[in-house]
Amino acid sequence: MPTLPTFHTARLTVRPRTLADLPACLAMDRDPEVTRFVPGPWSDPAGHEAFVRGRMEADYGRGLGYWSVVPRERPNHFLGWILLIPCDGIGPEIEIGWRFIRGAWGKGLATEAARPVLAHALGTLALDRVVAEIHPDNGGSVQVALKLGMTEEGVIDKDGTAWRSFVMR
């Protein structure tokens, strides 16, 4: 698995996600509010673990993957993750995404953690564009995309729902 860089912000450490983060990721996903707008095997414990483990073990290519987000002063306190992977795990577009425990919502942490990952995508990896596909009712994630400077590009169909598509070039 390629090595990802670690980023430090004013409040956070954004470090490569490892299998040691699996229990915290599973616990976060068990909160129905956290996964409310994200299709997945959340109600099937074995399927859920297999899905997350598969995402953790996948090789998405140089500089791509998942980062765990923790407070700088509490490095063992999992807050959530940021991803930079091919859309839906297959591409061809590269997407940025985020998921955080409910206790971390509304504090600007997702935006703060996503900024260096987005800079990595556009700078270090020299990607032409990065997308974020967001359920239309997920106002919190829409706000993160807008605060990151992403612009709305239109809608995409995901299983009969028109998701909002944001892009950063």
Side-chain angles (χ1 to χ4, degrees):
M1 187 179 313
T3 305
L4 298 176
T6 295
F7 306 105
H8 299 282
T9 70
R11 299 179 288 174
L12 305 170
T13 297
V14 184
R15 59 164 176 75
R17 185 166 80 163
T18 69
L19 282 174
D21 299 315
L22 181 62
C25 290
L26 295 173
M28 175 179 65
D29 290 349
R30 284 188 206 106
D31 180 341
E33 282 301 302
V34 170
T35 55
R36 181 171 160 204
F37 301 113
V38 185
W42 319 129
S43 61
D44 168 16
H48 178 200
E49 182 171 342
F51 174 80
V52 175
R53 185 180 292 275
R55 286 290 180 110
M56 290 178 147
E57 293 173 340
D59 181 349
Y60 298 104
R62 183 183 72 83
L64 302 177
Y66 281 80
W67 286 262
S68 288
V69 180
V70 298
R72 285 184 80 152
E73 75 283 356
R74 292 179 64 201
N76 294 320
H77 182 68
F78 179 84
L79 295 172
W81 52 252
I82 305 288
L83 65 76
L84 185 67
I85 65 170
C87 279
D88 296 322
I90 53 172
E93 297 248 55
I94 301 299
E95 73 174 314
I96 189 168
W98 42 85
R99 188 174 308 156
F100 282 75
I101 61 171
R102 204 183 323 183
W105 293 1
K107 299 174 181 168
L109 297 173
T111 305
E112 184 176 329
R115 274 197 178 108
V117 175
L118 195 53
H120 165 74
L122 299 170
T124 306
L125 301 180
L127 298 176
D128 293 335
R129 57 188 264 135
V130 176
V131 301
E133 298 172 348
I134 302 172
H135 189 281
D137 298 331
N138 191 344
S141 280
V142 168
Q143 287 305 306
V144 172
L146 293 173
K147 285 195 244 173
L148 288 170
M150 300 183 88
T151 55
E152 191 158 3
E153 191 173 61
V155 297
I156 55 162
D157 180 72
K158 285 194 165 204
D159 297 322
T161 300
W163 284 48
R164 296 170 73 176
S165 178
F166 293 83
V167 66
M168 175 71 87
R169 297 180 191 281

Short mmCIF file of all heavy atoms in Angstrom, two decimals, residues 25-57:
data_model
loop_
_atom_site.label_atom_id
_atom_site.label_comp_id
_atom_site.label_asym_id
_atom_site.label_seq_id
_atom_site.Cartn_x
_atom_site.Cartn_y
_atom_site.Cartn_z
N CYS A 25 -13.78 3.51 13.19
CA CYS A 25 -14.55 3.74 11.96
C CYS A 25 -15.89 3.02 12.02
O CYS A 25 -16.93 3.58 11.66
CB CYS A 25 -13.76 3.28 10.75
SG CYS A 25 -12.32 4.30 10.36
N LEU A 26 -15.88 1.78 12.47
CA LEU A 26 -17.12 1.01 12.57
C LEU A 26 -18.07 1.66 13.58
O LEU A 26 -19.28 1.77 13.32
CB LEU A 26 -16.83 -0.44 12.97
CG LEU A 26 -16.04 -1.26 11.94
CD1 LEU A 26 -15.67 -2.61 12.53
CD2 LEU A 26 -16.82 -1.41 10.65
N ALA A 27 -17.54 2.10 14.71
CA ALA A 27 -18.38 2.74 15.73
C ALA A 27 -18.99 4.02 15.17
O ALA A 27 -20.18 4.29 15.39
CB ALA A 27 -17.55 3.04 16.98
N MET A 28 -18.22 4.81 14.45
CA MET A 28 -18.74 6.04 13.86
C MET A 28 -19.89 5.73 12.90
O MET A 28 -20.95 6.37 12.95
CB MET A 28 -17.62 6.78 13.12
CG MET A 28 -18.10 8.02 12.39
SD MET A 28 -16.77 8.91 11.53
CE MET A 28 -16.26 7.72 10.29
N ASP A 29 -19.71 4.73 12.05
CA ASP A 29 -20.72 4.39 11.06
C ASP A 29 -21.99 3.81 11.68
O ASP A 29 -23.05 3.81 11.05
CB ASP A 29 -20.17 3.36 10.07
CG ASP A 29 -19.12 3.93 9.13
OD1 ASP A 29 -18.94 5.16 9.10
OD2 ASP A 29 -18.48 3.12 8.44
N ARG A 30 -21.89 3.31 12.91
CA ARG A 30 -23.09 2.77 13.58
C ARG A 30 -24.05 3.85 14.04
O ARG A 30 -25.18 3.55 14.40
CB ARG A 30 -22.68 1.87 14.75
CG ARG A 30 -22.18 0.52 14.30
CD ARG A 30 -21.96 -0.43 15.49
NE ARG A 30 -20.96 -1.40 15.13
CZ ARG A 30 -19.70 -1.43 15.56
NH1 ARG A 30 -19.28 -0.53 16.43
NH2 ARG A 30 -18.87 -2.35 15.15
N ASP A 31 -23.60 5.10 14.05
CA ASP A 31 -24.49 6.21 14.38
C ASP A 31 -25.33 6.49 13.13
O ASP A 31 -24.79 6.94 12.11
CB ASP A 31 -23.68 7.45 14.78
CG ASP A 31 -24.55 8.65 15.13
OD1 ASP A 31 -25.75 8.68 14.75
OD2 ASP A 31 -24.03 9.57 15.77
N PRO A 32 -26.64 6.23 13.17
CA PRO A 32 -27.45 6.40 11.96
C PRO A 32 -27.46 7.82 11.42
O PRO A 32 -27.66 8.03 10.22
CB PRO A 32 -28.85 5.96 12.39
CG PRO A 32 -28.84 5.89 13.87
CD PRO A 32 -27.41 5.77 14.32
N GLU A 33 -27.21 8.81 12.25
CA GLU A 33 -27.13 10.19 11.75
C GLU A 33 -25.88 10.41 10.91
O GLU A 33 -25.89 11.17 9.95
CB GLU A 33 -27.18 11.19 12.91
CG GLU A 33 -28.57 11.41 13.45
CD GLU A 33 -29.55 11.91 12.39
OE1 GLU A 33 -29.30 12.97 11.79
OE2 GLU A 33 -30.56 11.23 12.15
N VAL A 34 -24.79 9.72 11.27
CA VAL A 34 -23.53 9.87 10.54
C VAL A 34 -23.65 9.30 9.13
O VAL A 34 -23.15 9.88 8.17
CB VAL A 34 -22.37 9.22 11.32
CG1 VAL A 34 -21.10 9.13 10.47
CG2 VAL A 34 -22.09 9.97 12.61
N THR A 35 -24.32 8.18 8.98
CA THR A 35 -24.42 7.52 7.67
C THR A 35 -25.77 7.77 6.99
O THR A 35 -26.09 7.12 5.99
CB THR A 35 -24.18 6.01 7.82
OG1 THR A 35 -25.08 5.49 8.79
CG2 THR A 35 -22.75 5.72 8.21
N ARG A 36 -26.53 8.70 7.50
CA ARG A 36 -27.89 8.96 7.01
C ARG A 36 -27.95 9.19 5.50
O ARG A 36 -28.88 8.75 4.83
CB ARG A 36 -28.43 10.19 7.74
CG ARG A 36 -29.81 10.58 7.38
CD ARG A 36 -30.27 11.66 8.34
NE ARG A 36 -31.36 12.40 7.78
CZ ARG A 36 -31.67 13.62 8.13
NH1 ARG A 36 -30.97 14.25 9.05
NH2 ARG A 36 -32.68 14.21 7.59
N PHE A 37 -26.98 9.88 4.94
CA PHE A 37 -27.00 10.21 3.52
C PHE A 37 -26.04 9.37 2.69
O PHE A 37 -25.79 9.70 1.53
CB PHE A 37 -26.67 11.70 3.34
CG PHE A 37 -27.62 12.61 4.06
CD1 PHE A 37 -27.18 13.38 5.13
CD2 PHE A 37 -28.96 12.69 3.69
CE1 PHE A 37 -28.05 14.22 5.79
CE2 PHE A 37 -29.84 13.52 4.37
CZ PHE A 37 -29.38 14.29 5.41
N VAL A 38 -25.50 8.32 3.28
CA VAL A 38 -24.48 7.52 2.60
C VAL A 38 -24.96 6.08 2.48
O VAL A 38 -25.11 5.39 3.49
CB VAL A 38 -23.14 7.55 3.38
CG1 VAL A 38 -22.06 6.82 2.62
CG2 VAL A 38 -22.73 8.97 3.69
N PRO A 39 -25.20 5.60 1.26
CA PRO A 39 -25.61 4.21 1.11
C PRO A 39 -24.46 3.28 1.52
O PRO A 39 -23.30 3.57 1.25
CB PRO A 39 -25.95 4.06 -0.37
CG PRO A 39 -25.47 5.29 -1.05
CD PRO A 39 -25.13 6.31 -0.01
N GLY A 40 -24.80 2.20 2.19
CA GLY A 40 -23.77 1.24 2.60
C GLY A 40 -24.38 0.14 3.44
O GLY A 40 -25.55 0.19 3.81
N PRO A 41 -23.57 -0.83 3.79
CA PRO A 41 -24.05 -2.00 4.54
C PRO A 41 -24.06 -1.77 6.05
O PRO A 41 -23.66 -2.62 6.83
CB PRO A 41 -23.01 -3.07 4.15
CG PRO A 41 -21.74 -2.29 4.00
CD PRO A 41 -22.16 -0.96 3.41
N TRP A 42 -24.51 -0.59 6.48
CA TRP A 42 -24.37 -0.17 7.88
C TRP A 42 -25.14 -1.05 8.85
O TRP A 42 -24.74 -1.19 10.00
CB TRP A 42 -24.76 1.29 8.04
CG TRP A 42 -24.27 2.18 6.94
CD1 TRP A 42 -25.01 3.06 6.21
CD2 TRP A 42 -22.94 2.27 6.41
NE1 TRP A 42 -24.23 3.69 5.26
CE2 TRP A 42 -22.96 3.22 5.36
CE3 TRP A 42 -21.74 1.63 6.70
CZ2 TRP A 42 -21.82 3.55 4.63
CZ3 TRP A 42 -20.62 1.96 5.96
CH2 TRP A 42 -20.65 2.91 4.95
N SER A 43 -26.25 -1.66 8.43
CA SER A 43 -27.05 -2.46 9.37
C SER A 43 -26.66 -3.94 9.38
O SER A 43 -27.21 -4.72 10.13
CB SER A 43 -28.54 -2.33 9.03
OG SER A 43 -28.78 -2.80 7.72
N ASP A 44 -25.68 -4.31 8.56
CA ASP A 44 -25.19 -5.70 8.51
C ASP A 44 -23.77 -5.71 9.08
O ASP A 44 -22.82 -5.34 8.39
CB ASP A 44 -25.20 -6.18 7.05
CG ASP A 44 -24.46 -7.49 6.86
OD1 ASP A 44 -24.18 -8.20 7.84
OD2 ASP A 44 -24.14 -7.81 5.69
N PRO A 45 -23.61 -6.10 10.36
CA PRO A 45 -22.28 -6.00 10.99
C PRO A 45 -21.15 -6.66 10.21
O PRO A 45 -20.09 -6.06 10.04
CB PRO A 45 -22.48 -6.67 12.36
CG PRO A 45 -23.94 -6.50 12.64
CD PRO A 45 -24.62 -6.59 11.30
N ALA A 46 -21.36 -7.86 9.70
CA ALA A 46 -20.29 -8.55 8.96
C ALA A 46 -20.02 -7.84 7.63
O ALA A 46 -18.87 -7.62 7.25
CB ALA A 46 -20.64 -10.01 8.74
N GLY A 47 -21.07 -7.47 6.93
CA GLY A 47 -20.91 -6.77 5.66
C GLY A 47 -20.28 -5.41 5.84
O GLY A 47 -19.45 -4.98 5.03
N HIS A 48 -20.68 -4.73 6.92
CA HIS A 48 -20.12 -3.41 7.23
C HIS A 48 -18.62 -3.52 7.47
O HIS A 48 -17.82 -2.78 6.88
CB HIS A 48 -20.85 -2.86 8.46
CG HIS A 48 -20.37 -1.53 8.93
ND1 HIS A 48 -20.60 -1.09 10.20
CD2 HIS A 48 -19.65 -0.55 8.33
CE1 HIS A 48 -20.07 0.11 10.35
NE2 HIS A 48 -19.48 0.46 9.24
N GLU A 49 -18.21 -4.46 8.32
CA GLU A 49 -16.78 -4.61 8.60
C GLU A 49 -16.01 -5.00 7.35
O GLU A 49 -14.93 -4.47 7.09
CB GLU A 49 -16.53 -5.64 9.71
CG GLU A 49 -15.05 -5.75 10.01
CD GLU A 49 -14.71 -6.58 11.23
OE1 GLU A 49 -15.59 -6.82 12.08
OE2 GLU A 49 -13.54 -6.98 11.34
N ALA A 50 -16.56 -5.90 6.54
CA ALA A 50 -15.88 -6.31 5.31
C ALA A 50 -15.72 -5.12 4.35
O ALA A 50 -14.67 -4.95 3.72
CB ALA A 50 -16.64 -7.45 4.63
N PHE A 51 -16.76 -4.30 4.26
CA PHE A 51 -16.71 -3.12 3.40
C PHE A 51 -15.62 -2.15 3.84
O PHE A 51 -14.79 -1.72 3.05
CB PHE A 51 -18.08 -2.44 3.38
CG PHE A 51 -18.10 -1.14 2.64
CD1 PHE A 51 -18.18 -1.12 1.25
CD2 PHE A 51 -18.05 0.07 3.31
CE1 PHE A 51 -18.20 0.09 0.56
CE2 PHE A 51 -18.06 1.28 2.63
CZ PHE A 51 -18.14 1.28 1.25
N VAL A 52 -15.62 -1.80 5.13
CA VAL A 52 -14.64 -0.83 5.64
C VAL A 52 -13.23 -1.41 5.55
O VAL A 52 -12.29 -0.73 5.12
CB VAL A 52 -14.99 -0.39 7.08
CG1 VAL A 52 -13.90 0.52 7.65
CG2 VAL A 52 -16.34 0.32 7.10
N ARG A 53 -13.08 -2.67 5.91
CA ARG A 53 -11.76 -3.31 5.84
C ARG A 53 -11.26 -3.30 4.38
O ARG A 53 -10.09 -3.01 4.11
CB ARG A 53 -11.83 -4.73 6.38
CG ARG A 53 -10.49 -5.43 6.45
CD ARG A 53 -10.66 -6.85 7.01
NE ARG A 53 -11.05 -6.86 8.40
CZ ARG A 53 -10.20 -6.78 9.42
NH1 ARG A 53 -8.90 -6.68 9.18
NH2 ARG A 53 -10.62 -6.82 10.66
N GLY A 54 -12.14 -3.61 3.45
CA GLY A 54 -11.78 -3.61 2.03
C GLY A 54 -11.32 -2.23 1.57
O GLY A 54 -10.34 -2.10 0.83
N ARG A 55 -12.03 -1.19 2.03
CA ARG A 55 -11.64 0.17 1.68
C ARG A 55 -10.28 0.51 2.29
O ARG A 55 -9.47 1.20 1.67
CB ARG A 55 -12.69 1.18 2.16
CG ARG A 55 -13.98 1.19 1.34
CD ARG A 55 -13.71 1.78 -0.04
NE ARG A 55 -14.88 1.83 -0.88
CZ ARG A 55 -15.50 2.95 -1.24
NH1 ARG A 55 -15.09 4.11 -0.78
NH2 ARG A 55 -16.52 2.92 -2.05
N MET A 56 -10.03 0.01 3.50
CA MET A 56 -8.75 0.30 4.17
C MET A 56 -7.58 -0.40 3.50
O MET A 56 -6.48 0.12 3.48
CB MET A 56 -8.82 -0.13 5.64
CG MET A 56 -9.71 0.73 6.48
SD MET A 56 -9.74 0.08 8.17
CE MET A 56 -9.94 1.60 9.08
N GLU A 57 -7.82 -1.58 2.97
CA GLU A 57 -6.74 -2.39 2.41
C GLU A 57 -6.51 -2.13 0.92
O GLU A 57 -5.52 -2.58 0.37
CB GLU A 57 -7.02 -3.87 2.65
CG GLU A 57 -6.96 -4.23 4.13
CD GLU A 57 -7.40 -5.65 4.44
OE1 GLU A 57 -8.11 -6.27 3.61
OE2 GLU A 57 -7.04 -6.14 5.53
#
